[in-house]
Amino acid sequence: VSENTGKQKKYMTPEEVAEYLNISVHTIKKWASEQRIPVSKLNGKHNRFIKEDIDKWVRANGKRVIR
């Protein structure tokens, strides 16, 4: 996880999110393309995930996330 100082966001790669949620990288990338998981585009092309947004998403979706 890329952590920045101050109030900047903590960005995660698809691989980091997959490991964090114990879900395959393929699933994370698929969900991102389907906009089923909060994702940002870094430099307009690379998927990056904000850890705080992922944590909120998991809390909101509960057990439905892990299948």
Side-chain angles (χ1 to χ4, degrees):
V1 176
S2 301
E3 294 192 31
N4 300 311
T5 58
K7 294 190 178 205
Q8 292 181 330
K9 311 267 185 207
K10 297 175 185 173
Y11 290 98
M12 301 172 77
T13 65
E15 293 78 12
E16 290 170 327
V17 175
E19 183 177 338
Y20 183 60
L21 298 179
N22 196 29
I23 297 174
S24 74
V25 174
H26 173 79
T27 298
I28 295 300
K29 289 180 178 181
K30 182 174 186 254
W31 286 355
S33 72
E34 296 170 351
Q35 299 180 341
R36 291 179 58 191
I37 189 169
V39 63
S40 299
K41 291 283 186 184
L42 190 64
N43 296 325
K45 57 184 175 179
H46 299 288
N47 284 340
R48 290 297 180 264
F49 303 84
I50 299 170
K51 184 177 183 306
E52 182 178 295
D53 291 345
I54 296 299
D55 289 340
K56 287 178 187 175
W57 179 78
V58 168
R59 284 192 300 272
N61 288 282
K63 293 182 181 179
R64 292 179 288 164
V65 171
I66 312 300
R67 292 189 177 191

